[in-house]
Amino acid sequence: MSSTRAPELLGRMAAVVDAPLADSRQLAAVSGLLFPVLTLMVRLPQTMVPLGVLTTVGLVTGSPALGALCAGAVTFGSALCGIAMGAAASWRHRQLVLVLLTLLHPLALWWILRLLPGPDAPADAARLVPACLLAGLVLPQMGVVCRLRWLSLLCRDSREDLVDAALRHESVMDSLGTVLAAVLAGVVAVTLGPGAVLALAAGLTLVGTAAVLLHRSARLPPAALHYRPPLPPAPTRAARQHRRRLRELRLLPVVGTTALGALVGSMLGAVAVFAFSVDALVSVSWLYAVAGLTSVLAAVLGSSGAATGGLWNRWVVAAAASVLASMLLSIPDDSVGMVVVLALAGLTIGPGLVAVYEIAALVAPSARVTALTTVMTAGMSVGLTLGLVLSGWSGEHWGYRTAALFPVLSAAVGLAAALRFVHRWRRTAPPAPRPAGG
C-alpha cells in the first residue's frame, strides 16, 4: 500500500511547492518579469529603517528602551503615511507626492544621525523621537503602492480572477522583505556600523521608488474591481443586523493584523532587551532574521492553498500556534536557545499573515478591498509600534522576562480575533462568497 501511495504523496508535495510559483508566473504574465521583483525590493527600507534606528539609538545612548521608542515612532509614522497614501489612491497628483516623500526621507534619516549624542553627552529624547516620527511619516509605504498597482494591472487585462493570487503574492513579499531586510541590516551593522544601515535604507528608497515610478504600469489609471455586486438596501431589522455582522467580519481582519504587528514588534523589543543584556545589541537584526526566514517559508507553503480547511481555520491554527510559540520566549538564556524559539515563532506568523489578507478579499465588497487592506497594513504598523515600545520599555525597567510577556498577550489577542471571526462567519451569509484556499 505504501508503494501505491508514494506517487500520490509526491504529487501533493509538488503541488504545494509549485502553487506559489504558479501565482508568480500568472502575475508576471500580466505585469512583466520586473514588477514582481520590484515589489520585493521596495519593501526592504520599511524593515531596515526601524531596525537601523533601534540598533543605532540603542548603542549610542546605551538604552534599549529609547531605541525601541524611536523605532516605534518610525513605525507609527509609517502607519499614518500608509493610511494617507491609501486615501489618496485616486488623487490626480499622487505620483508627485510619492516623489516628494522619496526625496524627504533621506533628509529625515540624516537629521536623526545629526541628533545622536556624543560619547559622553546625554540623549535628548525630546528631539530624537519627533525626528524619528517624521522619518516614518515620509517613508513611502510601497506595499500600499504595489497592491494598488496590481489592481490597475489586473483591471487593464480583465484578469480580476487573479486578485487572490496578487494578495497572496503581496503577503509573501511582506514576509520575504522582512527577512531579507533583517539580513541586510545585520550584515551592514556588523561590517560598517549601525548608522550605515540607515544610509543603505535611504539609497534603496531612492532607487526602488524611482524604479516603480518609471515602470510602464505607472501610467495606468487607478482601478477599482467590480466582480461582486454591492449589498442591496437593508430596511428591515434582520437586514440591518446582517449588515452589522458583515461590518464586524471586516473589522476582525484589521484586529488580526494589528495583533500580528504587536506580536512582531514585541518580539523585536524583547530580542533587543535580550541582546543588550548579553552585550550584543548589534546582532538584533540577525536574530530577527531567523524569525523572518521561517516566517517566509511558512508563508510560501501557506499561500499554496493546499492546507485543509478554510482560510478562517488556517488563521485559527496559526494564531493558536503563535500563542504556544510566544510562551517559549521566556525560556532561553543564550543565543542558541533564542534562535530556536524565534524560528518556531516565525513558523506561525507567515501563514497567519497570508490567511488574514486573503480573508480581506473574501469579506469585503470588491470596491473596498483596497481600502480594507490599506487599513490592515496600517493597523499592523500601529501594533508593531505598541509592541515594540511596551516590550522595550518594560524590559529595560523590569527585565527580559517581563518583556517576553507582551508577545504572549499579542498572540492571545490574535487568537481571540480569529475565534470571533469563525463564530461570526458561521452565523452570517457573506455576499457572493468566492472559494479561496478552502
Side-chain angles (χ1 to χ4, degrees):
M1 183 177 295
S2 60
S3 61
T4 304
R5 291 182 177 178
E8 180 182 354
L9 179 60
L10 290 175
R12 290 180 180 177
M13 292 177 62
V16 169
V17 174
D18 185 63
L21 298 178
D23 283 345
S24 299
R25 287 194 294 267
Q26 288 179 313
L27 293 172
V30 175
S31 65
L33 295 176
L34 178 62
F35 190 69
V37 178
L38 286 178
T39 60
L40 172 61
M41 178 184 174
V42 295
R43 279 175 161 83
L44 299 181
Q46 294 173 204
T47 298
M48 293 183 69
V49 173
L51 280 175
V53 168
L54 173 64
T55 54
T56 303
V57 175
L59 282 174
V60 171
T61 64
S63 171
L66 182 56
L69 179 61
C70 289
V74 172
T75 56
F76 182 71
S78 66
L80 297 179
C81 180
I83 293 175
M85 291 180 66
S90 59
W91 194 38
R92 184 176 177 181
H93 302 291
R94 63 191 184 282
Q95 308 283 20
L96 181 61
V97 173
L98 186 57
V99 171
L100 182 62
L101 292 176
T102 303
L103 295 176
L104 289 176
H105 181 63
L107 297 177
L109 295 182
W110 172 80
W111 187 29
I112 293 175
L113 294 176
R114 287 293 303 270
L115 291 176
L116 290 175
D120 300 323
D124 188 357
R127 298 177 66 189
L128 271 174
V129 174
C132 293
L133 177 63
L134 176 62
L137 286 171
V138 296
L139 174 58
Q141 295 303 291
M142 300 307 294
V144 176
V145 175
C146 292
R147 284 184 170 91
L148 292 171
R149 192 68 62 82
W150 280 121
L151 293 182
S152 297
L153 286 165
L154 297 177
C155 184
R156 178 199 64 183
D157 290 1
S158 301
R159 293 302 309 269
E160 290 88 347
D161 57 303
L162 292 180
V163 171
D164 286 339
L167 291 176
R168 285 194 297 268
H169 169 83
E170 289 297 298
S171 298
V172 171
M173 291 302 104
D174 283 333
S175 298
L176 186 56
T178 296
V179 63
L180 289 181
V183 170
L184 272 176
V187 171
V188 174
V190 170
T191 56
L192 301 176
V197 176
L198 299 180
L200 177 60
L204 287 174
T205 299
L206 291 171
V207 174
T209 307
V212 170
L213 287 171
L214 294 175
H215 191 263
R216 57 185 177 85
S217 60
R219 295 187 292 271
L220 295 176
L225 303 176
H226 300 285
Y227 55 87
R228 258 177 290 177
L231 289 174
T236 66
R237 179 180 178 182
R240 286 195 298 269
Q241 185 180 20
H242 180 73
R243 279 191 168 183
R244 283 195 298 269
R245 289 178 176 176
L246 288 176
R247 283 196 294 267
E248 185 177 357
L249 284 177
R250 295 164 196 151
L251 175 63
L252 287 170
V254 178
V255 176
T257 53
T258 303
L260 272 173
L263 173 60
V264 173
S266 56
M267 282 174 53
L268 179 56
V271 168
V273 174
F274 175 85
F276 188 82
S277 67
V278 295
D279 295 326
L281 186 59
V282 76
S283 66
V284 166
S285 298
W286 293 104
L287 293 173
Y288 190 57
V290 172
L293 178 60
T294 55
S295 176
V296 70
L297 292 175
V300 169
L301 295 179
S303 70
S304 66
T308 58
L311 290 170
W312 44 93
N313 292 330
R314 278 194 268 162
W315 184 15
V316 170
V317 171
S322 68
V323 174
L324 296 176
S326 60
M327 292 173 67
L328 300 176
L329 281 170
S330 60
I331 297 177
D333 291 321
D334 54 22
S335 297
V336 176
M338 180 60 70
V339 166
V340 174
V341 172
L342 289 175
L344 293 175
L347 287 173
T348 69
I349 296 172
L353 186 66
V354 173
V356 174
Y357 270 104
E358 287 195 62
I359 283 172
L362 191 66
V363 300
S366 57
R368 298 180 183 176
V369 171
T370 302
L372 179 58
T373 55
T374 300
V375 174
M376 288 167 62
T377 302
M380 190 167 184
S381 296
V382 171
L384 198 151
T385 300
L386 292 175
L388 186 56
V389 172
L390 290 175
S391 61
W393 182 83
S394 63
E396 180 170 312
H397 288 81
W398 295 304
Y400 168 71
R401 296 294 187 273
T402 304
L405 292 176
F406 287 95
V408 180
L409 294 175
S410 303
V413 172
L415 177 59
L419 293 174
R420 180 65 177 176
F421 182 89
V422 174
H423 174 78
R424 275 303 186 193
W425 178 269
R426 290 175 176 172
R427 287 161 177 76
T428 306
R434 296 178 293 112

